[in-house]
């Protein structure tokens, strides 16, 4: 497939207007694939603002960016108009400190995190590692502080911690989030299993907000509503009074007092929760997810808003 002059011009304009551009599936606040989430997670840790392009909302850009940089997969990171690479390269550069250097940030702290693994948990982990061969045990903690153990090959820039006779590998971002982690084998909501407590995780809950309560609070002028949907969705089913989530909106919101009440809206209430968690991770304390999204608003409050 050849790249049309019109699409090339659109891509070149994006790169000219923004120093850092991540072409991804979803948005930086609501990624829609694991690879895009991993790349955005690393950039979010370093930059308060950058431009993300949701290729799922623009088929011309989705196909065109692959031709533009001769790079077959999404996501793709561009800095100063030059292709840096995809998710694996972004993660590797973050772990090595090259991404920090590129953006003028201090090198990552490579001090291994201190962990507390109980005897019962250590016994279960050793049993699970019995057939792992040369694979190493990684503890990955994503930007929403969701922990997950993984088995994979060691990397050149792994951060390695020792706890209760176990060797745990981390990438640079996970190592910071795992500091002070307590790991036990106990009863969980899903049955008996590993329970991982992360003291570094934000303790602010995202509060659910139904559309009738939303209507009342809007009438009282108590909330700022942020609509995280794509431009096409907002145009098709607009929500009066909400702010579209743009880089300019993000920059303005991050300057507000951290106790400012913010409510987030999407189609059904999933992407909006991811957006709320992003602001929670940045220290905001009064956050709401609009349950059911614009679909619930159309069904229960304003049937003139089209459903889709």
């Amino acid at each position: 497939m050849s790249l049309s002059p019109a699409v090339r011009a659109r891509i070149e304009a994006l790169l000219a207007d923004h120093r850092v551009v991540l072409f991804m599936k979803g948005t930086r606040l609501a990624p829609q694939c694991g690879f895009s989430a991993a790349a955005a997670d690393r950039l979010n840790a370093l930059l308060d603002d950058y431009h993300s392009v949701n290729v799922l909302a623009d088929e011309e850009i989705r196909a065109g960016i692959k031709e533009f940089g001769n790079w077959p997969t999404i996501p793709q990171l561009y800095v100063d108009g030059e292709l840096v690479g995809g998710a694996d390269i972004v993660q590797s550069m973050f772990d090595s400190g090259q991404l920090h250097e590129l953006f003028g940030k201090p090198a990552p702290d490579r001090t291994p995190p201190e962990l507390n693994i109980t005897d019962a948990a250590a016994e279960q982990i050793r049993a699970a590692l019995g057939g792992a061969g040369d694979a190493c045990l990684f503890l990955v903690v994503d930007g929403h502080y969701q922990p997950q153990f993984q088995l994979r090959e060691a990397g050149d820039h792994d951060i390695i911690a020792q706890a209760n006779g176990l060797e745990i590998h981390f990438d640079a971002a996970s190592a910071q989030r795992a500091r002070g982690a307590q790991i036990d084998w106990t009863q969980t909501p899903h049955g008996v299993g590993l329970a991982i407590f992360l003291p570094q995780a934000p303790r602010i809950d995202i509060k659910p907000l139904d559309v009738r309560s939303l209507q009342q609070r809007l009438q009282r002028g108590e909330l700022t509503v942020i609509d995280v949907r794509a431009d096409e969705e907002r145009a098709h089913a607009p929500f009066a009074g909400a702010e579209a989530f743009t880089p300019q909106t993000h920059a303005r919101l991050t300057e507000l007092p951290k106790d400012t009440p913010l409510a987030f809206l999407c189609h059904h209430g999933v992407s909006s929760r991811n957006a709320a968690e992003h602001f929670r991770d940045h220290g905001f304390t009064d956050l709401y997810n609009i349950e059911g999204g614009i679909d619930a608003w159309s069904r229960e409050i304003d049937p003139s808003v089209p459903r889709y």
Side-chain angles (χ1 to χ4, degrees):
M1 174 181 175
S2 61
L3 180 61
S4 72
V7 176
R8 179 179 293 277
R10 290 181 61 200
I11 294 172
E12 289 176 342
L14 285 167
L15 299 181
D17 290 343
H18 307 280
R19 184 194 176 207
V20 182
V21 182
L22 182 66
F23 295 89
M24 62 182 294
K25 295 179 180 178
T27 68
R28 61 173 297 188
L29 298 185
Q32 291 182 248
C33 85
F35 295 111
S36 290
D41 180 43
R42 300 318 189 265
L43 292 177
N44 292 344
L46 294 179
L47 302 176
D48 289 332
D49 193 27
Y50 61 90
H51 191 68
S52 63
V53 178
N54 181 8
V55 302
L56 297 179
D58 193 325
E59 186 57 37
E60 285 188 339
I61 294 294
R62 182 178 186 175
I65 194 61
K66 298 177 183 180
E67 297 294 324
F68 183 85
N70 193 28
W71 192 271
T73 57
I74 302 293
Q76 296 182 24
L77 173 64
Y78 280 77
V79 179
D80 294 324
E82 299 292 330
L83 175 63
V84 174
D88 289 346
I89 290 176
V90 171
Q91 293 178 74
S92 177
M93 290 180 66
F94 185 96
D95 290 342
S96 70
Q98 289 176 287
L99 207 60
H100 299 68
E101 183 178 353
L102 179 62
F103 296 132
K105 303 294 183 180
D109 183 356
R110 302 193 60 80
T111 307
E114 293 186 4
L115 311 173
N116 181 3
I117 304 178
T118 66
D119 291 341
E123 180 181 352
Q124 294 295 329
I125 292 172
R126 288 191 190 94
L129 291 174
D134 294 331
C136 296
L137 180 64
F138 283 76
L139 179 55
V140 177
V141 184
D142 68 16
H144 297 308
Y145 286 84
Q146 298 298 314
Q148 182 184 47
F149 277 114
Q150 298 178 359
L151 286 173
R152 63 173 188 259
E153 292 183 0
D156 293 337
H157 305 292
D158 294 353
I159 297 172
I160 303 173
Q162 305 286 339
N164 203 343
L166 293 169
E167 181 176 279
I168 314 291
H169 291 235
F170 297 87
D171 60 62
S174 295
Q176 297 298 320
R177 297 164 183 158
R179 297 198 181 283
Q182 302 172 34
I183 302 172
D184 195 4
W185 181 262
T186 185
Q187 183 71 41
T188 74
H190 307 290
V192 177
L194 287 174
I196 304 175
F197 173 71
L198 300 172
Q200 303 299 322
R203 297 299 158 202
I204 303 301
D205 289 331
I206 309 299
K207 289 165 276 192
L209 185 67
D210 64 72
V211 290
R212 296 194 181 279
S213 298
L214 170 65
Q215 182 184 42
Q216 294 169 3
R217 297 196 63 166
L218 286 174
Q219 290 169 348
R220 297 195 295 266
E222 295 178 349
L223 278 178
T224 296
V225 178
I226 311 302
D227 191 336
V228 304
R229 293 176 296 157
D231 293 344
E232 294 82 359
E233 293 180 271
R234 294 197 306 273
H236 177 69
F239 184 85
E243 294 190 49
F245 191 81
T246 65
Q248 293 75 23
T249 304
H250 183 272
R252 185 185 68 78
L253 292 176
T254 54
E255 297 299 322
L256 293 175
K258 299 303 184 185
D259 60 353
T260 301
L262 300 176
F264 295 85
L265 174 77
C266 69
H267 189 190
H268 288 114
V270 178
S271 296
S272 53
R273 181 171 182 84
N274 291 335
E277 289 174 347
H278 170 83
F279 279 86
R280 179 191 65 187
D281 296 346
H282 281 71
F284 283 79
T285 59
D286 195 10
L287 301 170
Y288 299 84
N289 183 48
I290 299 171
E291 300 296 302
I294 193 69
D295 188 70
W297 182 265
S298 177
R299 285 187 286 105
E300 300 182 33
I301 304 297
D302 185 359
S304 70
V305 176
R307 296 184 66 193
Y308 61 100

